[in-house]
Each structure stands twice: as structure tokens, then as C-alpha cells.
Amino acid sequence: AIDTNGDGTPDASDDACGNLPNVILDKAFVSATVQPDGSYNVVYTVAVTNNGGATGTYTLTDTPGFDNDVTINSGSYTGEAAGALNTTGATTLTTNNTIAAGTTETFTLTYNVTLDLRATSTDGGDNVYTACGTGGPNGNGTPGQGLYNLAAIDTNGDGTPDASDDAC
């Protein structure tokens, strides 16, 4: 507001308003389906939603933390981006991806895994399957249990995850 004649009452005013993005994610375990060769296809979805009022960007990673008796044979993802999943460590699913306000982008991740509990196995595990517990930050288990899996999102481009969600 501006007072042009000095009487203490604004003579003119103007305003402005802007919107911010609000990018969030939701990870979900979908299924584990046995294959003819005895392996399992394990499927997760990761939904990234911008429920803010402006376009945002995000980098999305996925990190499996399966029981040590579970070996990842291969993996792939589809959706907003597509590619191969790493068999060890994290996979970057997309980097600096733009997401419009009011939009949800969904990724579907499929890991092919083998569970080997034989005493002669060479997977590095203890030959005892540890089921998903209820501990962890979201009550969905912790790394090293069952088919634990963590998705993390960086929404400000600093290389550090701003939020995460897991499923087991």
C-alpha cells in the first residue's frame, strides 16, 4: 500500500500471490508371485504426487534391503521412467524429473529373486528367513527382514533425500 498525500490512509495498493510445489511419495508392496523356475517376481509401486499449487521436481531412488537369504537375480521398472534395477544397492529411477501441480506419477518395480535356505547355500545369509517385523520408521520392518524395500525422494536438488517410504 502507498500513501501519496501523507494523510495516513493508503491511496493505492497492489498484491501478489504465488504457489509452491508439495511433492510426496507412497511406496506399496503389491505381490510376490512364484515363477516356474522357483524364483519369485516381487512387485512394488511408488506413487509420487505433487499436491501443491506449482510445478516441482524430484529425484527418486529405490533400495532393496531384503533378508540376506534372498538373492536378486534381476529387476526392472516402468512408469514415468523405465529401466533396469540394480541387483545390489540403490537404483536412481529418475533425476530432476518435473511434476506438474495436482499430478501423480507412478512407478512399478519388479524384482526377480531367489530364496535359498539350504545349509549349502552360498548367498551369505544365515539360512533362516526373517519375516517382516513391525519396527522401523513406518512400522513396515527394517532392512534385512523379508522383502524390505525403501524409496527415497529429493525434492530440493541438494542430493539428500527429503522424504522416504518403505514397504516389506
Side-chain angles (χ1 to χ4, degrees):
I2 188 168
D3 178 7
T4 58
N5 60 12
D7 67 358
T9 302
D11 300 306
S13 65
D14 194 8
D15 60 8
C17 182
N19 288 309
L20 295 172
N22 186 47
V23 181
I24 59 173
L25 79 155
D26 182 44
K27 174 105 185 208
F29 172 79
V30 176
S31 64
T33 307
V34 69
Q35 302 302 296
D37 66 358
S39 67
Y40 291 85
N41 281 350
V42 180
V43 180
Y44 303 88
T45 58
V46 181
V48 178
T49 301
N50 180 358
N51 61 15
T55 297
T57 61
Y58 66 93
T59 296
L60 181 64
T61 60
D62 185 76
T63 307
F66 302 158
D67 177 286
N68 288 334
D69 293 300
V70 176
T71 301
I72 299 172
N73 302 315
S74 62
S76 62
Y77 63 98
T78 59
E80 180 63 21
L85 293 165
N86 295 333
T87 57
T88 59
T91 300
T92 300
L93 305 178
T94 188
T95 302
N96 294 325
N97 191 63
T98 301
I99 183 168
T103 302
T104 297
E105 298 174 347
T106 302
F107 296 78
T108 300
L109 292 66
T110 304
Y111 288 95
N112 177 263
V113 303
T114 301
L115 174 63
D116 190 347
L117 301 176
R118 296 173 301 145
T120 57
S121 71
T122 58
D123 56 25
D126 59 6
N127 301 322
V128 176
Y129 181 78
T130 303
C132 299
T134 57
N138 299 303
N140 296 325
T142 58
Q145 294 179 339
L147 296 170
Y148 179 85
N149 192 279
L150 177 72
I153 194 166
D154 175 12
T155 57
N156 62 9
D158 67 356
T160 302
D162 301 300
S164 63
D165 194 16
D166 55 12
C168 192

